[in-house]
Amino acid sequence: MKLKKHQQGHAAILFAMMIPVLFGIFALASDGARALQTKARIEDAAEVAVLAISAHNDTAQDENGNGTASRYNNTLAKKYVNAYINDVDSVKEVKVYKRTCEHIADCKEGVENGKPRFFEHEIEVTTTQKSWFPGQGVIVGMGETFDTYGDSRARKYQSEAVDVMFAADYSGSMDRQWSGSYNKKYVDLRNIINDISEELQKFNDLQKSDHNNTMGIVGYSEYANSEYANGGGALCFLMQQQGGYRYPSVSDTLRDIFIPKTQSNCTNYNWKGNFHEMRLTEKFVDFNRELSTFRPKGGTASYSGIIRGAQLLKEGSNTRRLLIVLSDGEDGGPNHDSPNVKSFSNSLVNGGMCDKIREGLEADKTPDGRDIKAQIVAIGFDYNASANQALKNCVGADNLYKAENADEIKDKILELISEEVGHLK
């Protein structure tokens, strides 16, 4: 009996000592469950947002290919996050990244083993919430606030074959070195196109179907060295404008934009470089061998390359047609003594040249009856293409890019070819 009296009250003391622990477990369970629920919502929001951003295909990245994306993409990501997560005190941070293949270990390894390359977008989201039970003293809790983190990634591959036509600047300034490398610009252009063809070939080898990637080029200075109609394959520096050099007609040129020009449009252009057009082909080895002989010279009239490039691109049979304009400066004649070239280019664009080209390219159907989507983009070689108002109005600000080096140009073109919305990783 005496021992029993000594034990009275011990259970109460033990229970009192356990109260802080039990309350701490309850607090952690309550706020912990909120954190887990928030994390699940963050990841749902991040998945939807990263697919939307992958579809938008923003171009912003740093020189390491691993930079935060543009203000537009960050704003878009925040909108999705806020729509999905409405019970947090604040969205502390949203980061959007874009990575090229060269900065993704899985992609680099896959390319070395003959697999297709891809691009990757990633979203990271961190939110802040006030704790229900912050804890104090001996009471365990999660503090006054706690952060929750989630992320998601999407990878973008090429899903369908594409017809790619380059309207490539072969004016005299392309024979100069630039800040992007130690090579002359036309040499880097040739190397870029070689690299692009390798990636297109990988897709063709993997697909093993009747729908293969094709590639063509129209080199231009003031004129493109093109095959004229009914000439049996003969080439000349061919005017695409109707009405002649001195009095070109905007309306007639626009009317006949997809009509191949006859020998009467051949010129006696004296600033002749060694380049010519090549029609769409999937024989990339032969294509690159011929391209290696090209040399630049002369002035610049981008509309010559754009119009003739559109005519040749219309011969493609894939569901996507991509016209890529590559230029290192504004339009103008040799030594910029031909101001009518620049003014005529502006007049054509203002008259709807590029809209007419897009509409014409999309008016066709593939041989098996599928719709065709066309896109015109412009990339500046060490040149702010936005300064070329005609080119900017032609392709649109979202399709105008400045590249600081050859890798940027190559990556941009490969992104344009990889048209998928994206796959979640």
Side-chain angles (χ1 to χ4, degrees):
M1 291 297 294
K2 190 173 182 180
L3 181 61
K4 186 176 181 179
K5 284 184 179 181
H6 280 294
Q7 292 176 338
Q8 286 178 354
H10 287 186
I13 293 171
L14 288 172
F15 179 74
M17 292 174 64
M18 289 293 293
I19 286 176
V21 177
L22 294 172
F23 190 81
I25 293 172
F26 171 76
L28 291 173
S30 299
D31 282 332
R34 291 173 66 210
L36 291 173
Q37 184 181 48
T38 300
K39 182 175 178 63
R41 288 183 177 178
I42 288 174
E43 291 179 345
D44 287 343
E47 285 182 1
V48 176
V50 79
L51 288 175
I53 286 169
S54 178
H56 176 68
N57 197 27
D58 184 77
T59 62
Q61 63 186 43
D62 65 17
E63 65 275 11
N64 297 315
N66 187 27
T68 55
S70 70
R71 183 180 300 174
Y72 174 89
N73 274 358
N74 280 299
T75 300
L76 181 63
K78 288 176 182 177
K79 286 182 178 179
Y80 277 99
V81 171
N82 288 325
Y84 270 74
I85 308 169
N86 52 21
D87 61 346
V88 299
D89 293 287
S90 67
V91 177
K92 184 177 180 179
E93 190 172 46
V94 177
K95 291 183 178 180
V96 184
Y97 299 94
K98 189 181 78 172
R99 300 182 179 93
T100 62
C101 185
E102 286 71 18
H103 300 92
I104 307 169
D106 291 351
C107 186
K108 289 174 65 178
E109 183 179 350
V111 168
E112 290 172 358
N113 294 321
K115 295 181 180 179
R117 68 173 50 223
F118 58 83
F119 296 84
E120 184 177 84
H121 289 84
E122 181 181 10
I123 291 181
E124 297 179 345
V125 181
T126 305
T127 63
T128 298
Q129 291 171 271
K130 290 181 180 178
S131 300
W132 285 346
F133 305 101
Q136 189 174 7
V138 296
I139 304 296
V140 178
M142 297 183 69
E144 294 295 329
T145 62
F146 62 89
D147 292 345
T148 308
Y149 169 87
D151 71 342
S152 185
R153 299 182 186 185
R155 289 178 171 178
K156 193 168 184 175
Y157 297 80
Q158 182 186 357
S159 64
E160 292 190 351
V162 58
D163 299 315
V164 181
M165 179 60 65
F166 293 99
D169 188 346
Y170 272 86
S171 63
S173 56
M174 290 291 288
D175 198 26
R176 302 170 187 162
Q177 289 186 324
W178 63 309
S179 61
S181 78
Y182 293 107
N183 294 325
K184 292 184 176 182
K185 297 176 203 176
Y186 82 90
V187 174
D188 276 331
L189 172 61
R190 180 183 65 205
N191 294 338
I192 289 165
I193 293 177
N194 270 262
D195 290 344
I196 298 299
S197 70
E198 289 181 7
E199 297 304 322
L200 295 179
Q201 186 62 56
K202 287 177 184 177
F203 177 89
N204 291 352
D205 292 341
L206 290 170
Q207 287 290 104
K208 297 180 180 179
S209 72
D210 295 332
H211 304 294
N212 284 335
N213 292 310
T214 66
M215 186 170 66
I217 190 170
V218 173
Y220 68 87
S221 53
E222 271 196 77
Y223 306 99
N225 191 15
S226 302
E227 179 181 343
Y228 54 86
N230 304 318
L235 299 170
C236 74
F237 281 81
L238 192 65
M239 281 191 297
Q240 293 301 321
Q241 66 265 37
Q242 297 288 52
Y245 177 78
R246 294 179 64 84
Y247 305 106
S249 169
V250 172
S251 59
D252 290 349
T253 301
L254 294 175
R255 180 197 63 202
D256 300 337
I257 204 162
F258 281 107
I259 298 177
K261 305 306 183 288
T262 64
Q263 189 176 7
S264 63
N265 275 44
C266 289
T267 70
N268 293 318
Y269 189 55
N270 292 322
W271 294 74
K272 296 179 181 179
N274 183 24
F275 56 85
H276 56 82
E277 67 184 24
M278 287 192 279
R279 281 184 150 82
L280 292 170
T281 182
E282 56 186 83
K283 297 179 179 179
F284 300 136
V285 174
D286 295 339
F287 180 97
N288 288 320
R289 185 183 301 114
E290 189 72 17
L291 184 68
S292 68
T293 66
F294 285 17
R295 297 293 184 274
K297 189 176 182 180
T300 307
S302 59
Y303 63 83
S304 293
I306 293 171
I307 292 175
R308 184 55 180 163
Q311 293 170 8
L312 296 184
L313 188 55
K314 200 171 174 63
E315 298 174 357
S317 59
N318 286 314
T319 56
R320 293 190 65 231
R321 291 172 171 174
L322 183 59
L323 179 57
I324 301 174
V325 185
L326 295 161
S327 176
D328 74 335
E330 292 193 61
D331 290 355
N335 303 316
H336 302 284
D337 60 0
S338 302
N340 59 317
V341 173
K342 183 175 181 179
S343 62
F344 185 66
S345 180
N346 286 327
S347 297
L348 283 175
V349 172
N350 293 337
M353 177 182 75
C354 298
D355 291 334
K356 189 176 179 69
I357 287 174
R358 277 185 286 264
E359 291 168 4
L361 292 175
E362 292 183 344
D364 300 329
K365 297 280 187 180
T366 63
D368 54 359
R370 293 177 294 166
D371 291 333
I372 292 174
K373 180 182 178 183
Q375 186 178 9
I376 308 174
V377 301
I379 302 175
F381 258 82
D382 198 28
Y383 156 66
N384 185 2
S386 296
N388 188 331
Q389 194 60 47
L391 206 53
K392 182 177 181 179
N393 292 340
C394 172
V395 303
D398 291 340
N399 293 308
L400 193 66
Y401 310 103
K402 178 185 177 183
E404 301 288 351
N405 56 61
D407 285 339
E408 281 189 18
I409 296 175
K410 182 184 72 174
D411 288 339
K412 183 64 249 170
I413 293 171
L414 290 173
E415 281 182 66
L416 293 166
I417 292 169
S418 303
E419 84 293 349
E420 282 189 331
V421 170
H423 295 295
L424 292 173
K425 178 182 181 295

